[in-house]
Amino acid sequence: MTAPPAGLDIVRRANARRWRLTVDPTSGAVRLTLPHRAALAPALAWAAGQQEWIAAQRARLPSPRPFEPGAVLMVDDVRLVIAWQADWPRRVEAVAGELRCGGPAERLPGRVARWLRAQALDRLSAETGDFARRLGVSIAGVAVGDPRGRWGSCTSTGVIRYSWRLILAPGWVRRATVAHEVAHRVHMHHGPDFHALVAELVGADADRSRAWLRREGAGLHWFGRES
């Protein structure tokens, strides 16, 4: 019998009615979803027979975009080319269209990633504050992380968290995402009043940004991934 796909994630869900195989567009991971009481062995055998389908899905995924010399990043709508020389300062700096960094070559990816996170936190914090002032609401805190399933979240206590990868998206997409989360300080739901408020803040970008993230967002998760 053909072996199941390597690294297969198995998930059981109460509301699942049948076996379901998916390929995560942000990572390429394969997931087999099963009803709670479904037998595992026949489901694994079925998944093992889907290798061709899995390969086809993975072939459609974005290519890894490692943080290496010559890589091009769009950061807050500015095109930057990663540049490295061992004798340069180790502190990452944006200079004349380059993102420059020195020191050991193996440390470059981590330093670029930390710089991008810092840039994201600064920009997202500022934009969150701007929208909060427009709506007259308070924000308890702003943080960035690297979630796979969402671009932002807002708690009932006023803490807003974003994906740091929004700094790599077009500015209008990022700002519309910020407006979406700040609007939750007024409406903690996705009803008509909520969507009307977001549209009041960013106009047609509210819908356009959601469409862009559905279409292009998975590609942002491949930045910093090794080939």
Side-chain angles (χ1 to χ4, degrees), residues 7-225:
L8 179 69
D9 294 329
I10 299 171
V11 177
R12 292 186 181 271
R13 298 196 186 281
N15 61 351
R17 295 291 179 263
R18 57 185 176 82
W19 305 331
R20 185 177 180 224
L21 204 59
T22 56
V23 175
D24 186 342
T26 69
S27 67
V30 182
R31 171 177 290 182
L32 174 61
T33 302
L34 306 172
H36 263 312
R37 297 181 182 278
L40 180 59
L44 288 175
W46 171 76
Q50 305 302 312
Q51 303 282 10
E52 187 174 329
W53 179 85
I54 292 169
Q57 297 301 306
R58 283 178 164 167
R60 297 166 57 187
L61 296 175
S63 299
R65 306 282 295 274
F67 295 143
E68 61 186 9
V72 178
L73 305 175
M74 291 297 295
V75 181
D76 196 15
D77 293 331
V78 176
R79 183 181 187 275
L80 295 173
V81 180
I82 296 177
W84 170 85
Q85 288 187 22
D87 58 350
W88 280 351
R90 300 183 181 192
R91 180 171 178 267
V92 179
E93 289 187 292
V95 181
E98 292 183 333
L99 198 58
R100 296 180 181 176
C101 181
E106 64 271 17
R107 300 290 183 87
L108 176 64
R111 290 191 171 117
V112 170
R114 287 190 292 274
W115 184 86
L116 288 169
R117 281 177 176 263
Q119 295 297 307
L121 182 58
D122 285 348
R123 176 58 62 191
L124 289 163
S125 295
E127 291 172 345
T128 298
D130 289 343
F131 282 120
R133 283 187 288 273
R134 288 175 61 180
L135 293 182
V137 298
S138 62
I139 302 296
V142 176
V144 296
D146 195 15
R148 293 247 174 100
R150 58 176 61 188
W151 298 103
S153 64
C154 178
T155 69
S156 59
T157 60
V159 176
I160 297 181
R161 295 181 175 86
Y162 300 102
S163 167
W164 69 263
R165 295 176 185 276
L166 286 168
I167 199 66
L168 301 172
W172 60 270
V173 172
R174 185 186 66 247
R175 287 187 291 273
T177 305
V178 172
H180 180 108
E181 299 307 330
V182 175
H184 277 311
R185 295 295 291 139
V186 180
H187 302 294
M188 284 296 289
H189 56 73
H190 289 107
D193 290 344
F194 168 80
H195 289 296
L197 182 58
V198 178
E200 181 181 319
L201 292 173
V202 293
D205 284 351
D207 291 333
R208 290 176 59 229
S209 66
R210 287 195 296 272
W212 190 94
L213 287 169
R214 283 194 298 270
R215 185 178 66 251
E216 308 288 347
L220 300 182
H221 289 278
W222 292 80
F223 281 92
R225 189 184 299 275

